[in-house]
Amino acid sequence: MIEVQDLHKSYGERKAADGVTFAVEEGEIFGILGPNGAGKTTTVECVAGLRAADSGTLRVGGLDPVAQHTEVTRLLGVQLQQSALQPKLTVREALELYASFYERPADWRDLAGQLGLDDQLDTRFGKLSGGRQQRLFIALALLGNPRAVILDELTTGLDPRGRRDTWDLVESVRDRGVTVLLVTHFMEEAQRLCDRIAVIDRGRVTALDTPAGLIGRATAATSVSFETDPRLGHGELTTLPGATGAETHDGRTTVTGTDATVNAFVQLLARTGATVRGLRVTDATLDDAYLDLTGADQ
């Protein structure tokens, strides 16, 4: 549905996109992760035809987003990071206005009902909560009956409940048959929603995989932590199969490694007769993989 091949875009001496390449399959939620300034928004703005690439090939449904911009706007809905409306505009007025831009718009009343806005139609934009504003932006992005939609930093500024409600909305968009290109910096969001993820760092795609595939690349896929026991020294713990390290902090020892490390640790307990307190086994998360891929200092 969306193809980006060797995209280059610079602002003066700064390279915002330096050979970005990925493809988004029809019907999937494709995520883009990366540090601030990595080139995420520049990339999706080029996909939307809002910026012209310096070089490279971009296609949306087989169309060039710049040369065939009018046709692409019929295929692609966009919600950008800095979206805003005039504060006194009501929800109804916004939906009617945006619907007028399309020859065959979706029924805005149906969209309002599906997105929980039907009781807010006469509320002015400036009076809406952050979550309601995001619902409205999703509705506006869907008014043209697009085959794909770009959602850039959709849940920034929302509280945990609003964020999770918005995740449900994104999944409902995909269930409508719409392909979603999602830009986010929330690891939990990406891990829950995305079928595949491209990690962009310094204008380049440094990894592209499923969430599970990225997590599998983490330096330590599993960790075991427990209240420190003198019978279990660091030397013995770091020699467990698959172990990548052991450290003690505030009375708790943590051993990082793999599933094999966990099994060997259990066998070690049986051999030594040690009974540890507060035992926890934790799988790696997308946070761990992200830090490995982009550098923990970013």
Side-chain angles (χ1 to χ4, degrees), residues 7 63 69 156 182 194 228 236 258 288:
L7 168 64
L63 302 175
H69 186 67
T156 298
L182 177 70
C194 297
T228 303
E236 191 169 18
T258 65
D288 300 311

Side-chain angles (χ1 to χ4, degrees), residues 82-239:
Q82 300 297 327
S83 298
L85 295 174
Q86 206 279 337
K88 293 186 177 181
L89 198 68
T90 68
V91 171
R92 185 192 308 275
E93 290 168 341
L95 291 168
E96 289 178 338
L97 175 63
Y98 276 67
S100 71
F101 298 157
Y102 301 98
E103 292 181 6
R104 297 179 181 84
D107 188 323
W108 64 261
R109 296 168 187 82
D110 286 346
L111 273 178
Q114 293 167 15
L115 295 174
L117 292 170
D118 46 355
D119 62 344
Q120 301 287 318
L121 293 178
D122 295 317
T123 302
R124 299 185 189 278
F125 177 78
K127 298 294 184 180
L128 294 173
S129 67
R132 296 286 188 180
Q133 289 182 358
Q134 296 296 49
R135 288 170 184 260
L136 177 57
F137 288 133
I138 293 175
L140 298 179
L142 295 175
L143 270 174
N145 284 314
R147 290 172 55 194
V149 63
I150 293 173
L151 304 175
D152 188 1
E153 302 288 5
L154 185 66
T155 59
T156 298
L158 298 185
D159 61 27
R161 172 53 60 190
R163 189 173 300 133
R164 281 164 176 75
D165 287 345
T166 303
W167 294 348
D168 291 339
L169 292 176
V170 174
E171 289 174 328
S172 73
V173 169
R174 190 262 310 276
D175 292 342
R176 292 163 59 97
V178 179
T179 302
V180 178
L181 178 56
L182 177 70
V183 180
T184 182
H185 64 265
F186 291 112
M187 299 302 115
E188 184 182 2
E189 179 170 293
Q191 189 168 342
R192 167 173 163 172
L193 293 177
C194 297
D195 298 299
R196 293 186 300 138
I197 296 170
V199 179
I200 296 182
D201 189 21
R202 298 180 178 91
R204 294 178 174 271
V205 175
T206 58
L208 199 165
D209 208 335
T210 64
L214 293 176
I215 291 169
R217 303 186 192 188
T219 302
T222 307
S223 66
V224 180
S225 65
F226 52 91
E227 293 181 16
T228 303
D229 188 313
R231 290 170 292 182
L232 302 172
H234 279 201
E236 191 169 18
L237 294 172
T238 54
T239 60

Side-chain angles (χ1 to χ4, degrees), residues 257-292:
T258 65
D259 288 343
T261 310
V262 177
N263 294 332
F265 178 75
V266 172
Q267 295 171 7
L268 176 62
L269 293 182
R271 289 198 309 271
T272 61
T275 303
V276 297
R277 296 178 179 275
L279 179 64
R280 298 174 187 167
V281 178
T282 306
D283 288 332
T285 65
L286 197 55
D287 283 280
D288 300 311
Y290 175 82
L291 292 175
D292 283 349

Side-chain angles (χ1 to χ4, degrees), residues 69-83:
H69 186 67
T70 299
E71 292 87 345
V72 167
T73 60
R74 300 189 184 108
L75 298 178
L76 185 67
V78 181
Q79 181 273 324
L80 295 176
Q81 184 176 356
Q82 300 297 327
S83 298

